Amino acid sequence: SDNGYCNNHNTNGEDNSNGKSQTSERNGLSDEQLRCKLPNLKTLLQLTTYYERMQTSSLQLSKLSGESLHFQWTAISSLWYKDSLVELVELLQTFSNTLAMNGDADNTDVEHSQIPSSRRHRIQQQVCSMLKIRSPSELQPMIQKLKQKVALLPRLAESLSSRMVKNKQLRQEQNPQGPSSQAKQIGYGPSENDWDVYLETLLHQHKKEEALEALKGIPCSPMTHVIGDDDSGGNGADTNTNDNTCVLPQIHDEHTIENHIGSVLPYTQRKKLERLSEVALELGKYEESARGYRELLRAFPDQWTYWMGLVDSLVLLGTPRELVCGTETKRAVNRDGWNSCRAFAKEVIASLAERK
């Protein structure tokens, strides 16, 4: 639900005539603009109702079954429900502000009050009918209640997902994996999906430091080929097969799938390094981000997005590329970092040539 729904932010009438601009300033959005937002309101109300039912149903199911997969569903649907509520609150706030401003304008502006007020009254009736309220004055209390849900849902999702991860970790410690004949007694650790849901709950709450620490401790399956492993005694493979978080896939035979609900595939080191590098870059930890991108490039030197990530980490130091193009921000470019990128590129090219 990150697509947005006609968020018309620049609606103050800058391109209109002076008279229309002044009317817009007095009355907020125009009647036509409000009328165009009514279908958006209807869609968002249906969407939030859909996600609310999904979240409630999955929560009831998880309580009955106790299965980690159902807790995962609840956490995901809680985040979706939260995202839809954020957009709904924004739209309701627009209606509330504009309708309130119009009420004040009707008392002070006689010239523009007759025709617009009748149109605005019809819009008020439609909004109240959709929301099942009596008057626009009830919008603000409704918005406050929705904001409370917006604050609560990510915390609920984090609680459920963290419990799911910890329970699987404990179960794996108590029942380590054995031969395929003992598949029913195997304690599988958190899967890639489990970790992804937990990380999303943290990122939704802007807990990037906690997400970074969680990523560092995720067991993952190692990358199979890294440039320089044979030549430099593990150069660039510090977090590869020698990592204490290394784990191999736990699928033995068909019984593994038949006797387990949900995924059993572990996190891959490639995905772990990708997310580590991205979060570290967002936190301004450029050296840590650069280390991750270097290791990824040793394994996948033809992946251009990793080169861009390395440039962002060492050369631009997190500065958006569109800003660097301006003369006032060219000083933000790190020349030492650029030289480091060039030296690393030459190292990778030389290693590839030797392998050929």
Side-chain angles (χ1 to χ4, degrees), residues 283-303:
L283 289 171
K285 299 183 177 183
Y286 303 123
E287 287 297 330
E288 187 172 351
S289 176
R291 282 198 300 272
Y293 282 120
R294 283 196 184 99
E295 187 164 356
L296 286 166
L297 286 166
R298 288 190 176 99
F300 308 98
D302 57 344
Q303 183 60 42

Side-chain angles (χ1 to χ4, degrees), residues 271-327:
K271 185 172 182 179
K272 176 179 177 178
L273 287 172
E274 286 175 347
R275 301 207 70 175
L276 268 171
S277 302
E278 291 170 1
V279 176
L281 180 60
E282 292 174 2
L283 289 171
K285 299 183 177 183
Y286 303 123
E287 287 297 330
E288 187 172 351
S289 176
R291 282 198 300 272
Y293 282 120
R294 283 196 184 99
E295 187 164 356
L296 286 166
L297 286 166
R298 288 190 176 99
F300 308 98
D302 57 344
Q303 183 60 42
W304 66 271
T305 55
Y306 299 159
W307 288 107
M308 297 301 294
L310 186 65
V311 170
D312 288 341
S313 302
L314 293 181
V315 181
L316 304 185
L317 300 178
T319 304
R321 297 188 194 98
E322 59 270 17
L323 295 182
V324 175
C325 295
T327 56

Side-chain angles (χ1 to χ4, degrees), residues 145-185:
K145 290 181 180 179
L146 294 179
K147 286 182 177 180
Q148 291 175 359
K149 283 189 177 182
V150 168
L152 176 63
L153 286 169
R155 295 200 293 267
L156 173 63
E158 181 187 355
S159 175
L160 293 173
S161 58
S162 63
R163 187 191 313 170
M164 173 182 58
V165 167
K166 290 177 182 178
N167 287 344
K168 282 195 172 184
Q169 288 175 326
L170 181 61
R171 192 184 311 166
Q172 186 181 34
E173 293 174 359
Q174 294 174 347
N175 302 297
Q177 67 180 41
S180 59
S181 60
Q182 301 175 356
K184 291 185 179 180
Q185 288 76 38

Side-chain angles (χ1 to χ4, degrees), residues 157-299:
E158 181 187 355
S159 175
L160 293 173
S161 58
S162 63
R163 187 191 313 170
M164 173 182 58
V165 167
K166 290 177 182 178
N167 287 344
K168 282 195 172 184
Q169 288 175 326
L170 181 61
R171 192 184 311 166
Q172 186 181 34
E173 293 174 359
Q174 294 174 347
N175 302 297
Q177 67 180 41
S180 59
S181 60
Q182 301 175 356
K184 291 185 179 180
Q185 288 76 38
I186 294 176
Y188 294 101
S191 67
E192 178 182 1
N193 291 341
D194 298 330
W195 284 114
D196 277 338
V197 173
Y198 177 55
L199 291 172
E200 285 303 315
T201 62
L202 295 176
L203 295 175
H204 262 71
Q205 301 175 81
H206 307 289
K207 297 181 178 180
K208 295 182 180 180
E209 287 283 359
E210 294 183 29
L212 187 63
E213 290 303 315
L215 275 165
K216 292 178 181 178
I218 294 179
C220 58
S221 56
M223 293 185 291
T224 56
H225 62 283
V226 176
I227 295 176
D229 278 356
D230 299 333
D231 303 326
S232 55
N235 181 25
D238 295 337
T239 57
N240 198 2
T241 55
N242 295 327
D243 193 346
N244 57 6
T245 62
C246 173
V247 64
L248 296 176
Q250 302 173 22
I251 298 178
H252 303 287
D253 51 32
E254 65 274 10
H255 298 290
T256 303
I257 306 300
E258 293 175 354
N259 297 315
H260 184 82
I261 298 178
S263 174
V264 295
L265 295 177
Y267 229 73
T268 62
Q269 189 182 19
R270 180 176 185 176
K271 185 172 182 179
K272 176 179 177 178
L273 287 172
E274 286 175 347
R275 301 207 70 175
L276 268 171
S277 302
E278 291 170 1
V279 176
L281 180 60
E282 292 174 2
L283 289 171
K285 299 183 177 183
Y286 303 123
E287 287 297 330
E288 187 172 351
S289 176
R291 282 198 300 272
Y293 282 120
R294 283 196 184 99
E295 187 164 356
L296 286 166
L297 286 166
R298 288 190 176 99

